[in-house]
């Protein structure tokens, strides 16, 4: 396969075929650099060499009634995690200050549970108003299944983006969870879009899905028109249904990132949870396909030191995309 030619065709509007998509995931390791060069041609065309940094705060941990097999916070998990109710506005603001100082342009407020209470939404909206005033960060909320009025309130408060991952293909969804449907997830993203909030939705790779499942989820996210697509690589946690699952290697993870770039050429592709344990020493290569990463810790697992991420981007010759008041201080 001539990946450069295919990349140029994608920029001109071509939608790759299922056969071409499968050839990306099945690419010989000896051709991996050629594949990544093709992905980089697309990435550079739309995003140059800029990288968006995102940081999470786990605003509510544990106590979730859902049975998601990958999650240490689920009702069926026995993982020994810290559990606590929704954080206060002040604690959320402290996290925003740290995100600002670490040059993360997007601050992600994430909470466990099926969906937020009205009180939870009020805490988030109060915090967001001050975050905007103090730091000018972009704010992403990830609170589960939401109601129309809640989405509208978040939009009015200044929430820029709402994350609700599809996680896997429609066909594989029931293996991962049974307490909500694939359609529930799609409906939530559609509500977000209707409120005027930018939709963020992605995948978790490595949950015993097939290559065809991976292609399916990439196409579903294209159809959903998600502006930001986080790609998580399973970090199997003891005590969860997927404990011990370890199907990935760094080279395959890079092929997955390339696939998502070829199928969703104009979108923010973010390397997310599990990058440190799955991409390992090949993490820098992932940014030739992706244009965004999470920094700091995740929900119940640790990330690598932010200084290491900053150094990685500098070594690559890439530029951190600053927002708002960050430009005044760090430029």
């Amino acid at each position: 396969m001539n990946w450069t030619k295919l990349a140029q065709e994608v920029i001109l509007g071509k939608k790759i075929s299922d056969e071409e998509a499968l050839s990306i995931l099945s690419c010989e390791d000896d051709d991996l650099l050629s594949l990544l060069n093709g992905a980089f041609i697309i990435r550079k065309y739309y995003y140059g060499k800029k990288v968006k940094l995102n940081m999470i705060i786990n605003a509510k941990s544990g106590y979730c009634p859902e049975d998601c097999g990958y999650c240490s916070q689920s009702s069926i998990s026995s993982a020994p995690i810290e559990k606590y109710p929704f954080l206060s506005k002040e604690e959320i603001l402290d996290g925003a200050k740290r995100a600002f100082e670490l040059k993360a342009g997007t601050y992600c407020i994430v909470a466990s549970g099926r969906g937020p209470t009205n009180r939870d939404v009020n805490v988030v909206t109060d915090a967001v108003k001050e975050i905007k005033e103090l730091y000018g960060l972009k704010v992403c909320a990830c609170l589960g299944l939401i109601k129309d009025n809640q989405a509208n309130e978040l939009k009015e408060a200044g929430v820029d983006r709402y994350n609700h991952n599809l996680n896997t293909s429609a066909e594989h969804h029931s293996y991962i969870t049974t307490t909500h449907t694939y359609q529930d997830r799609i409906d939530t993203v559609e509500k977000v879009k209707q409120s005027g909030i930018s939709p963020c939705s992605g995948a978790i790779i490595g949950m015993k899905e097939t290559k065809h499942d991976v292609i399916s989820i990439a196409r579903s996210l294209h159809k959903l028109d998600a502006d930001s697509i986080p790609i998580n690589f399973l970090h199997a946690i003891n005590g969860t249904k997927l404990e011990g699952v370890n199907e990935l290697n760094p080279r395959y993870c890079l092929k997955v990132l390339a696939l998502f770039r070829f199928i969703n050429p104009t979108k923010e592709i973010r390397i997310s949870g599990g990058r440190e344990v799955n991409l390992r020493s090949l993490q820098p290569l992932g940014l030739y396909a992706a244009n965004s990463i999470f920094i700091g810790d995740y929900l119940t697992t640790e990330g690598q030191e932010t200084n290491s991420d900053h150094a990685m981007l500098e070594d690559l010759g890439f530029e951190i995309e600053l927002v708002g008041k960050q430009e005044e201080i760090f430029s």
Side-chain angles (χ1 to χ4, degrees):
M1 180 70 70
N2 186 330
W3 302 117
T4 297
K5 181 174 181 290
L6 185 61
Q8 292 167 342
E9 290 172 345
V10 166
I11 289 172
L12 292 174
K14 172 185 170 68
K15 293 183 180 179
I16 67 171
S17 66
D18 285 347
E19 182 180 1
E20 289 165 332
L22 188 59
S23 69
I24 291 174
L25 294 180
S26 304
C27 173
E28 294 291 336
D29 289 344
D30 289 352
D31 294 330
L32 180 55
L33 289 180
S34 296
L35 172 62
L36 287 175
N37 181 60
F40 182 62
I41 289 171
I42 302 170
R43 179 246 203 268
K44 187 177 179 183
Y45 180 83
Y46 290 105
Y47 292 99
K49 298 174 77 173
K50 289 191 174 182
V51 178
K52 299 172 185 283
L53 301 187
N54 307 258
M55 199 183 90
I56 287 175
I57 184 168
N58 191 1
K60 177 186 175 186
S61 183
Y63 306 112
C64 184
E66 306 299 290
D67 66 354
C68 303
Y70 55 84
C71 186
S72 60
Q73 303 182 79
S74 79
S75 61
I76 62 171
S77 169
S78 61
I81 62 165
E82 185 179 6
K83 297 182 179 182
Y84 50 82
F86 216 95
L87 298 180
S88 67
K89 180 183 77 171
E90 290 70 29
E91 290 169 311
I92 294 173
L93 287 171
D94 286 343
K97 180 175 185 292
R98 176 166 169 76
F100 180 88
E101 293 169 347
L102 294 177
K103 302 181 182 179
T106 301
Y107 181 53
C108 307
I109 303 171
V110 185
S112 65
R114 182 175 178 85
T117 65
N118 289 335
R119 179 188 175 280
D120 296 339
V121 171
N122 289 339
V123 173
V124 172
T125 54
D126 287 348
V128 169
K129 291 172 185 176
E130 290 198 33
I131 291 168
K132 289 292 183 178
E133 182 179 347
L134 292 171
Y135 307 114
L137 295 175
K138 292 183 178 179
V139 177
C140 178
C142 179
L143 310 173
L145 306 176
I146 59 169
K147 301 178 178 68
D148 290 331
N149 65 302
Q150 293 175 327
N152 292 333
E153 288 173 19
L154 292 171
K155 170 64 178 177
E156 186 177 343
V159 170
D160 301 279
R161 181 166 286 170
Y162 195 93
N163 168 259
H164 198 64
N165 292 333
L166 297 187
N167 287 331
T168 192
S169 70
E171 296 77 16
H172 194 56
H173 183 265
S174 61
Y175 172 77
I176 303 303
T177 183
T178 63
T179 49
H180 59 267
T181 67
Y182 197 72
Q183 191 61 46
D184 287 335
R185 289 185 170 271
I186 289 176
D187 290 345
T188 292
V189 178
E190 292 294 351
K191 286 178 184 178
V192 168
K193 290 164 63 176
Q194 290 167 11
S195 75
I197 297 176
S198 172
C200 172
S201 188
I204 304 174
I205 307 300
M207 300 192 296
K208 295 189 175 183
E209 73 281 346
T210 67
K211 290 177 180 176
H212 292 286
D213 286 319
V214 177
I215 295 168
S216 176
I217 181 66
R219 293 206 188 282
S220 293
L221 291 166
H222 181 272
K223 182 179 179 181
L224 200 58
D225 200 25
D227 293 329
S228 177
I229 302 176
I231 308 299
N232 301 274
F233 298 103
L234 181 67
H235 181 176
I237 299 173
N238 291 341
T240 64
K241 176 182 176 180
L242 294 175
E243 174 182 343
V245 174
N246 182 20
E247 299 184 332
L248 303 175
N249 66 62
R251 301 174 305 285
Y252 180 70
C253 293
L254 291 173
K255 295 167 192 176
V256 168
L257 292 169
L259 174 76
F260 276 80
R261 176 56 68 201
F262 273 89
I263 291 180
N264 298 279
T266 67
K267 303 303 187 179
E268 176 185 341
I269 306 293
R270 185 186 321 138
I271 312 176
S272 302
R275 69 177 168 97
E276 297 86 353
V277 298
N278 286 290
L279 282 164
R280 299 194 287 277
S281 62
L282 298 191
Q283 284 187 71
L285 292 179
L287 284 165
Y288 285 98
N291 64 298
S292 179
I293 58 172
F294 271 117
I295 61 171
D297 295 335
Y298 301 99
L299 294 176
T300 61
T301 57
E302 294 182 353
Q304 67 185 23
E305 288 291 327
T306 302
N307 288 341
S308 298
D309 288 327
H310 288 171
M312 176 176 69
L313 299 181
E314 183 177 351
D315 290 346
L316 284 165
F318 287 0
E319 177 187 352
I320 296 173
E321 184 172 313
L322 303 173
V323 303
K325 298 179 182 180
Q326 289 176 331
E327 295 178 298
E328 303 171 14
I329 296 176
F330 300 119
S331 295

